[in-house]
Amino acid sequence: MKTNVLPAHATGALDTAARCLRGGGLAALPTETVYGLAADATNGEAVARVFEAKGRPSFNPLIAHVCDLDMAGTIARFEKAAERLAERFWPGPLTLVLDSAAGSSVHPLVRAGLPTVAVRMPRGPVADVARRLGRPIAAPSANRSGRVSATSAAHVADGLSGRIDLILDGGPCELGLESTILKPVGDRLVLLRPGALTAEEIEDATGLALSMPEDGIQAPGQMQSHYAPHARLRLNAQFAEPGEHFIAFGPVDPSSTRNAASLSKLSETSDLREAASRLFEVLAALDDPAIERIAVAPVPMAGLGIAINDRLARAAAPR
Ligand code: TXA
Ligand code: MG
């Protein structure tokens, strides 16, 4: 794949980026903090491509970037404290983790199946592109997994050239440090990630002291129980035993599902992107106290399959 690089201020650059995302493509876009690797947050396969391009071995939830408070209100529930923070600090380097709104258009893969969503209104072209797209933009930092966040277009190209469609070069990022992530919990503000907006600024503006997360909340992508359905999962299953709910990957051999209580398909064509985009919906649909046993067909341990298997292994972990 050829990666186009355009100056962010070039005529039509924002339209080009919006068109790229609308078509399911990936564009690295500058923000005031770091460059984001942007995809249409409502398009599961585009979001799966983000994990693929970054080479992430697991599905960490992504931040949904919005252009205004109206768009934010369609994807997250804002209580008083969150509303005040958004009004005071947006657009800016603050991300709020809030309950996902009913009917949100954000694809479940963005939230990695969590009931909450991380929302932020950044300064710079991401908000302009989201406005043109008319949808929120999912964007992790635009670096390969395990590397530091990219703060210049050259740094983005170093890691991602040939793996994404477009880079908008907006010069070096103003702040060069990721956004601060806060989760309002009752009348407390939990600091999930220190970042460009300081604790003092937040405390001054709200009169609330920040609290530190309890064990396990820091790394939401790593929380096992969060992703575990009620049922026991049997992985790498070639067929369903009587009463098992079967999750298939690839073409379904009818004899393998003869005894299945139900059949869900991650991808009939063995497409890992499609499987990634279906995974959390399928697990959520089977997360029912009445369902006790699930068998999952083998998913190849390559590319996105590594993150899919990581998630399945967590869901299957004894607890
Ligand atoms: O400045 C930034 O925040 C940049 C720019 C591009 O906006 N983005 C960024 O994204 O740093 P990323 O994916 O590298 O980091 C997002 C963090 C992850 O640590 C993720 O676990 C956390 O946000 N996160 C996302 N959704 C969450 C949720 N529902 N609950 C808790 N943490 C969440
Ligand atoms: Mg990152």
Side-chain angles (χ1 to χ4, degrees), residues 54 140-141 143 149 178 193:
K54 283 185 64 101
S141 50
N143 50 279
S149 299
E178 294 94 338
R193 179 176 75 182

Side-chain angles (χ1 to χ4, degrees), residues 27 102 180 201 251:
T180 301
E201 287 174 277

Side-chain angles (χ1 to χ4, degrees), residues 165-302:
D165 302 284
L166 177 68
I167 300 173
L168 286 197
D169 185 350
C173 297
E174 178 194 332
L175 303 171
L177 183 67
E178 294 94 338
S179 64
T180 301
I181 306 183
L182 282 186
K183 181 176 183 175
V185 179
D187 52 9
R188 295 184 311 132
L189 294 178
V190 180
L191 180 64
L192 294 185
R193 179 176 75 182
L197 186 66
T198 65
E200 290 75 33
E201 287 174 277
I202 297 162
E203 289 174 350
D204 282 353
T206 59
L208 297 173
L210 299 192
S211 26
M212 291 301 140
E214 282 136 39
D215 277 0
I217 303 183
Q218 293 97 319
Q222 305 312 310
M223 276 187 290
Q224 295 202 339
S225 59
H226 232 122
Y227 297 97
H230 286 88
R232 223 160 4 92
L233 261 76
R234 187 167 68 85
L235 305 184
N236 298 313
Q238 300 294 346
F239 58 88
E241 284 169 6
E244 279 182 330
H245 293 253
F246 194 67
I247 301 179
F249 177 84
V252 179
D253 168 4
S255 70
S256 69
T257 57
R258 195 182 320 117
N259 294 318
S262 75
L263 172 62
S264 314
K265 298 172 184 173
L266 290 177
S267 170
E268 272 190 289
T269 57
S270 305
D271 176 348
L272 287 167
R273 254 180 225 164
E274 182 184 24
S277 79
R278 298 264 307 128
L279 179 64
F280 290 101
E281 288 167 66
V282 165
L283 288 178
L286 294 173
D287 189 11
D288 180 326
I291 294 181
E292 286 176 4
R293 289 182 304 129
I294 298 172
V296 190
V299 176
M301 262 303 225

Side-chain angles (χ1 to χ4, degrees), residues 59-64 72 74-79 95-102 104 106-120 181-186 190 192 216-221 223 226-227 280:
F59 294 123
N60 233 18
L62 307 180
I63 298 171
T74 66
I75 67 170
R77 286 180 29 208
F78 283 74
E79 310 283 346
T95 296
L96 296 171
V97 171
L98 305 171
D99 289 335
S100 177
S104 164
V106 171
H107 192 275
L109 186 56
V110 174
R111 293 186 272 115
L114 292 169
T116 52
V117 62
V119 196
R120 138 168 154 84
I181 306 183
L182 282 186
K183 181 176 183 175
V185 179
V190 180
L192 294 185
I217 303 183
Q218 293 97 319
M223 276 187 290
H226 232 122
Y227 297 97
F280 290 101

